[in-house]
Amino acid sequence: MTMRTKAPLLAVSALVSAFGFASTAYADAFYLQAQSARGAGRAFSGEAADTGAESLWWNPAAIAGIRDGSATLSASAILPKGDVVDTGTRICRPGQACTTISGQSNSSDPINKGIVPSGAIAYPLTDRIAVGLAVTSPFSFTTNYDADSWARYSADKTRLRTIDIQPSVGVVVTDWLRVGGALNVEYTDASLSNALPNLLASLPDGHQELSGDGWDLGWTAGVQLHNDFATVGVTYKSSIRHHLKGDLVVSGLVGSLASQNTTVSGAKASFNTPGQVIVAGRFRGTDKLTLNAQVVAYSWNKFDTIDLGAPLNTAIPENYKDSWSLAGGLDYDVTPKLTVRGGVQRTKSPTQDGQRDARVPDADRWTYAAGGSYQLSRRIALDAAAQYVDFENTTIDRVTAAYVGSLAQTNILTSGALRNASAVVLSLGGRVSF
């Protein structure tokens, strides 16, 4: 393979690797638990054990035994903040001494604000069988670094949107046992870009951008155990094998690298997002008080490689570790119409020191939540919630390189940090029965 043909394929490889990394990491790093405003108010504790369309995404057994049709619609405004700071990153061009990276050394608030909608509907076919449909966006985010940011060679602009469509069925097996199953039809659309260093520091940067999309399938199965004092729910959401196809544009390279400016169509990549095992419980403390708990185990070990199809036909290793979240909360009926709730969640990041990227700055976090519901009428209710997410300070330290394997290979020795990161999430929703 000639230098002229090899370098564009290496660029595709690097970008597709970042594409897979960005889309999956966000599922846990900034996991969009925005499936219902009701659940947001108690930090998503007890969702797999609750009932109705509001809990359908968490457990399809949640709609088994419902007597009326119901629908819910929610929207969550996500307001993140944080600093991605250079702590000594160097760029090593071939035949030259390593130097610091020019430009901004502190990128403030690179993760964009956004609004995420979700909704679900359920309807009983008989007194034992119900069907439902949930539409959510479990993996969606945008990061945007300035053109002169110190992180520009690994991250410039990243946008990811997913739509998860979950048709479901729930069945009452006995008075105490309910089961459910669902298909997850997931659409992914993404674009991402980063700067490319020319061989001389005095030259302006080049640029590369990849966009792609794809449809993929997964499944969900769950059970609920009911008695007069407690409900326990257990759900398994499968890993999804994603297949993306996109176009790569490389531009702005000059001198001996100019031949690598190219447009490549049909670049392919496949990777797995993690499966989830969810165990939840809701326990009646008094006639007015319900206690909730939920643990989620994520099988991030499935994200071990990004498999690249033709014309690359190779695999890029990734080293995510399994992670988990643990949440506790409560619901309290102040009056027959007004319910208040609160909760706390602890979430561990799947990223590891030495492999954390500026495209998805991630850390372990605590989430604190409060919310409430008000029954406007027998058939209409409103839900509202507010969450504060506190991220730990951590390192950004994944070493990258441009033009890998060629005489022009340029290494980026990343040394950065995520500092003062937090997010406020405001959720509002409505429920109607019919």
Side-chain angles (χ1 to χ4, degrees):
M1 182 178 289
T2 67
M3 181 71 173
R4 183 184 181 100
T5 59
K6 182 178 180 181
L9 295 183
L10 289 169
V12 176
S13 174
L15 258 180
V16 174
S17 175
F19 188 15
F21 182 88
S23 61
T24 53
Y26 190 54
D28 209 65
F30 296 91
Y31 184 33
L32 291 184
Q33 296 181 94
Q35 290 77 18
S36 82
R38 183 182 72 177
R42 57 191 179 213
F44 296 101
S45 57
E47 303 316 300
D50 210 343
T51 58
E54 302 91 324
S55 295
L56 179 57
W57 188 84
W58 297 95
N59 191 342
I63 60 173
I66 59 174
R67 297 185 177 183
D68 298 312
S70 63
T72 180
L73 182 65
S74 300
S76 296
I78 301 173
L79 311 172
K81 293 184 66 64
D83 297 321
V84 178
V85 181
D86 183 18
T87 58
T89 300
R90 295 179 296 157
I91 181 170
C92 303
R93 291 179 167 89
Q96 303 173 49
C98 297
T99 62
T100 58
I101 292 180
S102 62
Q104 295 182 14
S105 60
N106 182 5
S107 296
S108 296
D109 305 336
I111 302 168
N112 286 12
K113 301 174 177 64
I115 296 177
V116 180
S118 63
I121 187 169
Y123 190 79
L125 299 180
T126 71
D127 59 350
R128 289 183 173 271
I129 302 173
V131 293
L133 181 73
V135 180
T136 62
S137 182
F139 308 96
S140 293
F141 79 117
T142 302
T143 54
N144 191 347
Y145 289 87
D146 291 336
D148 64 344
S149 168
W150 71 273
R152 63 187 180 272
Y153 296 123
S154 58
D156 177 20
K157 294 179 175 63
T158 305
R159 185 185 67 85
L160 172 70
R161 298 290 181 269
T162 62
I163 300 174
D164 186 283
I165 304 168
Q166 181 180 295
S168 310
V169 60
V171 179
V172 176
V173 179
T174 69
D175 290 342
W176 57 271
L177 175 62
R178 302 173 186 179
V179 301
L183 182 68
N184 292 94
V185 183
E186 195 161 293
Y187 174 72
T188 303
D189 175 75
S191 64
L192 70 161
S193 62
N194 59 273
L196 289 172
N198 274 299
L199 293 182
L200 295 177
S202 59
L203 295 172
D205 292 329
H207 191 260
Q208 61 182 356
E209 183 173 358
L210 176 70
S211 59
D213 62 358
W215 286 92
D216 303 285
L217 296 176
W219 56 274
T220 301
V223 300
Q224 286 187 345
L225 311 177
H226 290 255
N227 63 30
D228 293 338
F229 303 100
T231 301
V232 175
V234 180
T235 305
Y236 178 74
K237 299 186 77 70
S238 77
S239 170
I240 295 181
R241 182 72 169 174
H242 294 268
H243 301 85
L244 303 177
K245 183 176 181 180
D247 299 322
L248 170 71
V249 177
V250 180
S251 61
L253 298 177
V254 298
S256 61
L257 295 176
S259 62
Q260 298 181 42
N261 295 319
T262 187
T263 298
V264 178
S265 298
K268 297 179 180 179
S270 58
F271 57 90
N272 293 321
T273 47
Q276 300 178 38
V277 176
I278 307 169
V279 180
R282 284 171 50 80
F283 310 95
R284 192 178 75 181
T286 68
D287 290 341
K288 294 185 175 183
L289 176 65
T290 301
L291 303 176
N292 308 283
Q294 182 160 292
V295 60
V296 183
Y298 302 90
S299 58
W300 275 111
N301 67 308
K302 293 183 178 296
F303 184 53
D304 54 353
T305 63
I306 300 170
D307 299 314
L308 306 175
L312 298 170
N313 297 314
T314 187
I316 298 174
E318 298 287 351
N319 293 295
Y320 270 34
K321 61 183 179 180
D322 290 347
S323 65
W324 53 265
S325 66
L326 177 63
L330 57 85
D331 298 84
Y332 186 79
D333 297 329
V334 179
T335 71
K337 290 187 175 183
L338 176 64
T339 299
V340 297
R341 54 182 59 95
V344 178
Q345 183 183 94
R346 174 63 169 169
T347 305
K348 299 291 288 184
S349 169
T351 60
Q352 301 190 66
D353 291 346
Q355 300 179 56
R356 195 169 293 110
D357 191 275
R359 193 177 296 281
V360 185
D362 184 31
D364 298 344
R365 79 214 66 149
W366 287 93
T367 300
Y368 307 95
S373 298
Y374 188 78
Q375 198 74 34
L376 293 176
S377 68
R378 188 172 67 87
R379 296 190 176 275
I380 300 175
L382 295 179
D383 302 308
Q387 295 181 322
Y388 178 76
V389 187
D390 184 20
F391 294 88
E392 296 180 1
N393 292 342
T394 193
T395 56
I396 296 174
D397 46 17
R398 186 177 187 180
V399 174
T400 60
Y403 325 118
V404 178
S406 73
L407 295 177
Q409 178 168 327
T410 301
N411 297 322
I412 311 297
L413 308 180
T414 305
S415 177
L418 174 68
R419 295 176 180 168
N420 307 315
S422 63
V424 173
V425 183
L426 304 175
S427 301
L428 182 65
R431 292 176 278 141
V432 60
S433 59
F434 52 88

